[in-house]
Amino acid sequence: MSKEIGITVKKDENFSEWYTQVVLKGQLADYAPVKGLIVLRPYGYSIWESLKSSLDEKLKSLGHENGFLPVLIPQSLLSKESDHFAGFTPEVFWVTHSGDTEVGDRLALRPTSETLAYSMYSKWIKSWRDLPLKINFWNTALRAEIKATKPFLRTSEFLWQEGHTVHSSKEEAEEEVFTILETYRKIVEEELAIPVIKGKKSEKEKFVGAVYTTTIEAIMPDGKALQMGTSHFLGQNFSKPFDVKFLDKQNVETFAWQTSWGVSWRLIGALIMVHGDDKGLVLPPRVAPIQVVIVPIYYSPQDRESVLGKSNVIKEILQKKNLRVHIDSRDEFTPGYKFNNWEMKGVPVRIEIGPKDLAKGKMVVVRRDNQKKMDLSFENTETGILDILGEVQLGLFERAKQFLTEKIIEVTDFEKFKSEIEKGGFLHSPWCGDTKCEEKIKELTGADIRVIPFDGKRSNAPCLICKNLSKTDAIFARGY
RNA sequence: AGGGACGUAGGUUAGCUUGGUCAGACUGCCAGCCUCGGGCGCUGGAUGUCGUGGGUUCAAGUCCCAUCGUCCCUACCA
């Protein structure tokens, strides 16, 4: 009856409003009392936990260890690497007082922890035997957002992990950068079912203070790009000001080679945008807090008992396969209400069991991604459900992959570029490599270089702006 | 950062132009019934410092100022 408890706008009619409703009504997060901050609710946090545990496991198997850094960084430390400081200072929150007393060296709420981490690393590293040092930190970062805040995509505080590694050679550090980027790709494509393009950022777009930045970039349904994760090669840019050095095997004091990298809860924002539909969230099974919801259908107390009994049996069978299963046995809601409610929350598979099903020895199974209904006999419970979950995970990825492929458009003509960018998408175009041309394109079209793909084709066409022969091709898009 | 719109019950909102029974509706919530398979039906009940702070006035949800917050369209960062 009431549509107001559901999503009231269509995804392709008012994307921004749709997104906000999905976040709030799907109970992923809510607004905090301070602008730009959100509260993660259990349903949203549990998606983060899924991501966190699979990434954490992968990092540990690569030899990384977890640590924890404090949230306050003295200005004197934050400003040691000047480019880095200049890049972050507009969005730093400052702590100026403790109680009523003004602090001398004011304290930044960390916008990122390179400076703090490396001031510690310089104390810990003495010899080549101390390397590599590979520490990951699960924490939050704070960057002031004055306007245009958006849950998960743009908030003043966000959950993330930041990894900081130190190596004795340039080669080993660069290898680390690429290993991490590949790890990110796997997480995003295999867990979140979101296809990405791997590549490098331009000089203009790289992390401030890095030698270069690698990235995985995804496309959203509105044709805008979203950076999904970055892995930076810092070279010796930080080891020099922070005195991160070691005695090498030849007893020569050497500055170390460093990397840093991170992914944030922005991935959850991407997940919502990429897979969601007019009914709400659509979660890939690998990260869904609830993978299978069972809606029992009954009228009489006798039916209630037998239907719930069978539901529990099914639940236990599936739990033995390590599936996350929930029975919605609330008496106060009708089955129809529950169907809509769990669809809004994106549960990948729903099982309906009623008296008629019991009589026939089967259940009704409904896929969230394509709404297909089918009968499944009780004997085939585990294989049937496991197969369907696998199909949903794959199906979501394939659909997103096809969208990405369609939206990558080769453009060598600037007039066509301008018209295409209005439609949204990834424009694969020649570029001379000069920041001036990149800036010109940004100024004229609003698009920037999102990624210079590693496996990019060479168009050998002239740069869109200066007409010099392109050094490389880049993917241009408007971004979040 | 620039432009536009808007804050009235948990949610969606009427009322504001023309200050004076204007504090209403729907939904949700609570209790009880109900053959509840796509937001079911019926009966009863609770819920508002009209975002906040000033001001004008005999009188402010309504007019003025400020402030906080939200949304939409452009410009920058995970």
Side-chain angles (χ1 to χ4, degrees):
Chain A
M1 171 106 186
S2 172
K3 292 277 187 276
E4 277 159 20
I5 49 178
I7 309 300
T8 58
V9 294
K10 293 200 184 305
K11 188 182 181 186
D12 58 6
E13 282 174 7
N14 189 345
F15 188 54
S16 183
E17 170 68 14
W18 171 89
Y19 178 84
T20 305
Q21 285 196 17
V22 172
V23 170
L24 297 179
K25 294 183 177 179
Q27 300 185 339
L28 298 175
D30 203 351
Y31 292 110
V34 178
K35 181 179 173 60
L37 300 180
I38 59 169
V39 177
L40 252 198
R41 301 182 66 173
Y43 198 66
Y45 193 74
S46 120
I47 296 174
W48 179 247
E49 283 179 317
S50 291
L51 272 170
K52 180 179 174 180
S53 71
S54 53
L55 179 55
D56 204 61
E57 193 183 311
K58 284 190 165 64
L59 291 175
K60 281 175 181 159
S61 74
L62 290 169
H64 297 80
E65 296 177 291
N66 285 330
F68 192 79
L69 293 159
V71 72
L72 297 176
I73 303 175
Q75 175 169 357
S76 54
L77 198 56
L78 190 67
S79 58
K80 265 194 172 178
E81 206 289 330
S82 55
D83 286 347
H84 181 75
F85 184 66
F88 277 106
T89 195
E91 41 189 359
V92 169
F93 285 109
W94 292 105
V95 174
T96 57
H97 289 75
S98 64
D100 293 333
T101 315
E102 196 164 335
V103 297
D105 190 3
R106 41 179 201 162
L107 303 168
L109 293 172
R110 66 163 160 254
T112 181
S113 305
E114 275 76 6
T115 55
L116 182 53
Y118 306 160
S119 71
M120 302 309 297
Y121 284 7
S122 78
K123 290 165 64 175
W124 300 340
I125 295 166
K126 300 292 175 207
S127 136
W128 65 272
R129 293 177 199 279
D130 296 322
L131 300 177
L133 180 67
K134 304 200 290 185
I135 309 181
N136 177 54
F137 301 91
W138 290 100
N139 56 25
T140 65
L142 290 112
R143 299 178 192 174
E145 287 294 344
I146 313 122
K147 227 184 152 181
T149 65
K150 205 80 181 163
F152 298 118
L153 299 176
R154 184 177 298 174
T155 48
S156 287
E157 182 179 21
F158 51 89
L159 268 175
W160 74 343
Q161 57 71 216
E162 45 177 326
H164 297 282
T165 70
V166 189
H167 306 266
S168 54
S169 74
K170 179 170 184 283
E171 294 69 31
E172 187 185 293
E174 291 198 78
E175 190 186 333
E176 171 77 2
V177 168
F178 289 92
T179 301
I180 292 299
L181 192 72
E182 173 59 13
T183 303
Y184 284 165
R185 184 201 63 79
K186 280 178 101 87
I187 292 284
V188 171
E189 294 199 334
E190 292 171 10
E191 306 286 323
L192 298 178
I194 299 174
V196 295
I197 295 173
K198 270 167 76 168
K200 227 168 134 172
K201 286 286 186 186
S202 66
E203 276 299 299
K204 177 171 174 281
E205 301 291 332
K206 75 178 184 187
F207 176 71
V208 279
V211 174
Y212 62 80
T213 288
T214 64
T215 181
I216 50 174
E217 208 76 16
I219 193 165
M220 299 298 111
D222 56 359
K224 285 161 93 174
L226 188 67
Q227 179 176 306
M228 304 293 279
T230 46
S231 179
H232 316 293
F233 176 59
L234 303 179
Q236 294 174 314
N237 290 357
F238 284 84
S239 63
K240 287 178 179 168
F242 287 92
D243 210 30
V244 181
K245 58 190 179 192
F246 64 98
L247 279 178
D248 68 15
K249 290 179 188 173
Q250 283 75 43
N251 204 29
V252 178
E253 195 166 66
T254 310
F255 285 110
W257 301 86
Q258 295 184 274
T259 79
S260 72
W261 26 274
V263 293
S264 77
W265 69 13
R266 194 174 246 193
L267 294 179
I268 297 178
L271 178 72
I272 296 165
M273 290 193 279
V274 169
H275 299 307
D277 64 18
D278 289 348
K279 292 187 159 196
L281 266 182
V282 178
L283 294 174
R286 299 281 277 273
V287 294
I290 296 171
Q291 296 165 310
V292 178
V293 65
I294 302 175
V295 178
I297 293 152
Y298 47 79
Y299 319 104
S300 65
Q302 298 91 307
D303 283 344
R304 184 177 193 278
E305 197 183 329
S306 56
V307 166
L308 281 179
K310 189 65 189 179
S311 299
N312 272 305
V313 173
I314 303 285
K315 179 182 175 183
E316 279 164 24
I317 291 171
L318 295 175
Q319 280 179 332
K320 285 201 184 106
K321 292 287 164 189
N322 290 319
L323 294 180
R324 298 183 285 272
V325 186
H326 175 71
I327 301 176
D328 188 351
S329 58
R330 294 175 293 179
D331 287 327
E332 65 270 30
F333 293 113
T334 62
Y337 176 93
K338 293 175 184 176
F339 297 164
N340 284 287
N341 193 242
W342 292 112
E343 279 166 358
M344 186 165 72
K345 295 184 116 180
V347 176
V349 168
R350 175 175 81 240
I351 295 175
E352 304 170 16
I353 303 175
K356 294 172 199 166
D357 299 309
L358 285 186
K360 293 180 195 160
K362 56 93 178 169
M363 63 192 108
V364 176
V365 180
V366 187
R367 276 173 66 157
R368 174 65 181 90
D369 62 331
N370 61 13
Q371 300 292 309
K372 287 222 169 75
K373 257 188 201 196
M374 62 208 98
D375 285 341
L376 180 66
S377 69
F378 290 140
E379 309 79 272
N380 297 331
T381 299
E382 48 177 83
T383 52
I385 297 297
L386 283 170
D387 283 354
I388 291 167
L389 286 171
E391 285 169 27
V392 172
Q393 182 78 33
L394 195 65
L396 289 174
F397 180 75
E398 290 302 329
R399 191 189 318 183
K401 177 91 181 171
Q402 192 188 341
F403 181 77
L404 172 62
T405 307
E406 283 167 8
K407 285 287 183 181
I408 299 176
I409 300 159
E410 314 242 345
V411 181
T412 53
D413 171 71
F414 193 49
E415 288 310 311
K416 184 171 183 217
F417 186 99
K418 284 191 269 192
S419 64
E420 284 294 334
I421 203 70
E422 292 303 321
K423 291 187 255 172
F426 280 8
L427 305 190
H428 190 279
S429 293
W431 177 50
C432 64
D434 192 329
T435 303
K436 286 200 183 75
C437 293
E438 181 183 3
E439 281 168 350
K440 194 76 187 168
I441 290 172
K442 172 75 176 172
E443 181 192 324
L444 294 173
T445 68
D448 39 34
I449 293 180
R450 302 306 303 188
V451 53
I452 301 160
F454 290 140
D455 57 358
K457 280 171 277 184
R458 293 286 300 273
S459 56
N460 286 320
C463 172
L464 293 175
I465 300 298
C466 68
K467 308 298 181 196
N468 290 325
L469 199 63
S470 76
K471 261 204 196 112
T472 175
D473 283 12
I475 287 185
F476 292 82
R478 289 178 179 161
Y480 272 91

